[in-house]
């Protein structure tokens, strides 16, 4: 922006009427909540006290309000599908996620040994995850969600299982 003191700034979205704004440290925010999901354009106009005006080149942005959707999650132990409430041992648990097709998805999981614990989300890179040391002996709750590049989150999926690593005692023959 120019150093001239009396500059009026406005933005123009989709070539409609300009709306004035005042930047804060050369930054500004625009409320786009009333825009529909689509590609939109924006230009910035600066006008000085002599009515000299400069309009920026056109920039494009996408409004995305749709939450990504997890279609299904497979939980595999020792290469076999397991159901909620299953018992597992020391081998890794593999989780495979099927979701709505979107680019730039962040996959997140959390593990808790108690359903009322605060959970800490961990990001992982692909639609497949192996959990081992993250699971504690006893009951485990696994939470899965995905987040798109617009920070829209899927519904959280919860799965519980029991990790049992204690060897059975020796049988007693009487």
């Amino acid at each position: 922006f120019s150093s001239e003191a009396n500059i009026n700034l406005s933005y123009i979205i989709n070539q409609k009427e300009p709306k004035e704004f005042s930047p804060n440290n050369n930054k500004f925010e625009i409320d786009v909540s009333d825009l529909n999901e689509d590609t939109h354009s924006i230009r910035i106009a600066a006008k000085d006290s002599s009515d000299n005006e400069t309009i920026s080149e056109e920039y494009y942005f996408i409004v995305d309000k749709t939450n990504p959707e997890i279609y299904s999650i497979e939980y595999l132990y020792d290469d076999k599908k397991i159901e909620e409430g299953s018992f597992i041992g020391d081998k890794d648990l593999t989780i495979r996620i099927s979701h709505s097709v979107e680019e730039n998805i962040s996959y997140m999981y959390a593990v808790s040994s108690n359903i009322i614990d605060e959970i800490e989300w961990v990001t992982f890179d692909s639609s497949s995850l192996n959990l081992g040391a993250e699971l504690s002996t006893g009951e485990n709750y696994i939470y899965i969600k995905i987040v798109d590049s617009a920070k829209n989150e899927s519904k959280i999926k919860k799965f519980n299982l029991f990790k049992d690593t204690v060897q059975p005692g020796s049988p007693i023959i009487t």
Side-chain angles (χ1 to χ4, degrees):
F1 297 120
S2 167
S3 60
E4 190 175 327
N6 293 323
I7 298 264
N8 292 324
L9 297 171
S10 58
Y11 62 88
I12 305 151
I13 293 183
N14 299 330
Q15 290 138 14
K16 294 189 177 167
E17 288 299 311
K19 295 182 181 178
E20 288 194 9
F21 72 94
S22 297
N24 183 4
N25 294 325
N26 289 339
K27 295 180 182 178
F28 65 97
E29 291 184 14
I30 297 172
D31 180 11
V32 296
S33 61
D34 62 332
L35 296 177
N36 59 340
E37 290 197 59
D38 203 351
T39 300
H40 300 274
S41 66
I42 186 170
R43 290 177 177 240
I44 305 298
K47 187 185 277 189
D48 66 16
S49 56
S50 300
D51 278 342
N52 297 313
E53 185 174 47
T54 301
I55 298 178
S56 73
E57 59 184 276
E58 200 163 27
Y59 295 93
Y60 296 92
F61 63 96
I62 297 172
V63 173
D64 174 7
K65 302 175 185 178
T66 303
N67 293 350
E69 184 179 351
I70 295 175
Y71 293 145
S72 66
I73 302 177
E74 275 189 325
Y75 297 87
L76 304 167
Y77 181 73
D78 202 17
D79 293 325
K80 295 177 186 101
K81 188 174 177 181
I82 63 169
E83 300 299 322
E84 179 128 13
S86 294
F87 282 83
I88 65 169
D90 271 337
K91 295 179 184 169
D92 282 359
L93 174 71
T94 300
I95 300 171
R96 291 191 189 137
I97 303 167
S98 170
H99 59 84
S100 55
V101 180
E102 287 197 39
E103 294 182 17
N104 302 317
I105 290 285
S106 295
Y107 301 90
M108 303 183 84
Y109 79 91
V111 176
S112 173
S113 60
N114 186 320
I115 199 164
I116 56 174
D117 281 350
E118 288 292 321
I119 56 176
E120 185 175 320
W121 290 102
V122 178
T123 303
F124 59 103
D125 297 4
S126 71
S127 60
S128 185
L129 166 71
N130 288 327
L131 294 179
E134 299 86 354
L135 301 174
S136 58
T137 299
E139 190 166 22
N140 287 271
Y141 293 90
I142 301 168
Y143 302 91
I144 303 286
K145 70 178 177 179
I146 57 177
V147 181
D148 68 16
S149 58
K151 306 292 186 230
N152 299 314
E153 295 186 4
S154 70
K155 291 182 180 177
I156 297 171
K157 303 289 186 176
K158 179 181 71 81
F159 185 85
N160 80 307
L161 57 81
F162 298 86
K163 184 173 182 179
D164 181 4
T165 58
V166 178
Q167 299 296 323
S170 298
I172 299 174
I173 301 174
T174 55

